[in-house]
Amino acid sequence: MKNTIVKLTLGAIVLLATTSSYAQPPQGHDGKKQPTAAELIKKMDADKDGKLSKKEVKGPIKDDFEKIDTDKDGYLTLEELKKAPKPERKGPEGGR
């Protein structure tokens, strides 16, 4: 009886340990959670107008500004950022 309980307990621990790694949020190549479109605007919107100009953005967003700015008004809105393609990873994928 004790042997069965020990085996069931160990089995449950192994199951929980392996499945919890699949429940993690998507992460960038550096191990950090990728920011949402709203978080990007909040972080980069220097003039607090609710949209991003090319002067306000940096990184992959700046590189793909024209592609993301679908209405070609010179600003990135929340909706445009939500629909933007995800940037491609550069370099090795952390040993995968």
Side-chain angles (χ1 to χ4, degrees):
M1 178 82 165
K2 278 186 177 180
N3 209 8
T4 303
I5 293 173
V6 170
K7 287 180 183 178
L8 287 173
T9 303
L10 288 175
I13 291 170
V14 169
L15 181 64
L16 287 172
T18 56
T19 57
S20 67
S21 65
Y22 292 106
Q24 299 299 316
Q27 296 182 343
H29 65 278
D30 59 356
K32 295 180 183 175
K33 180 180 153 280
Q34 294 177 347
T36 66
E39 289 170 339
L40 288 171
I41 289 180
K42 185 177 181 179
K43 181 178 179 181
M44 292 189 215
D45 187 14
D47 61 6
K48 306 297 181 207
D49 63 354
K51 53 191 176 185
L52 300 175
S53 68
K54 193 162 188 175
K55 291 179 183 178
E56 292 174 311
V57 297
K58 56 187 173 189
I61 295 173
K62 188 170 193 119
D63 297 338
D64 292 333
F65 192 92
E66 286 77 21
K67 191 186 306 182
I68 299 168
D69 183 18
T70 56
D71 64 4
K72 306 300 179 205
D73 67 350
Y75 294 95
L76 302 181
T77 63
L78 179 62
E79 290 306 312
E80 288 173 322
L81 286 170
K82 284 181 179 179
K83 294 176 184 177
K86 302 296 180 225
E88 293 182 24
R89 291 182 175 191
K90 295 178 183 173
E93 291 190 14
R96 286 187 199 172

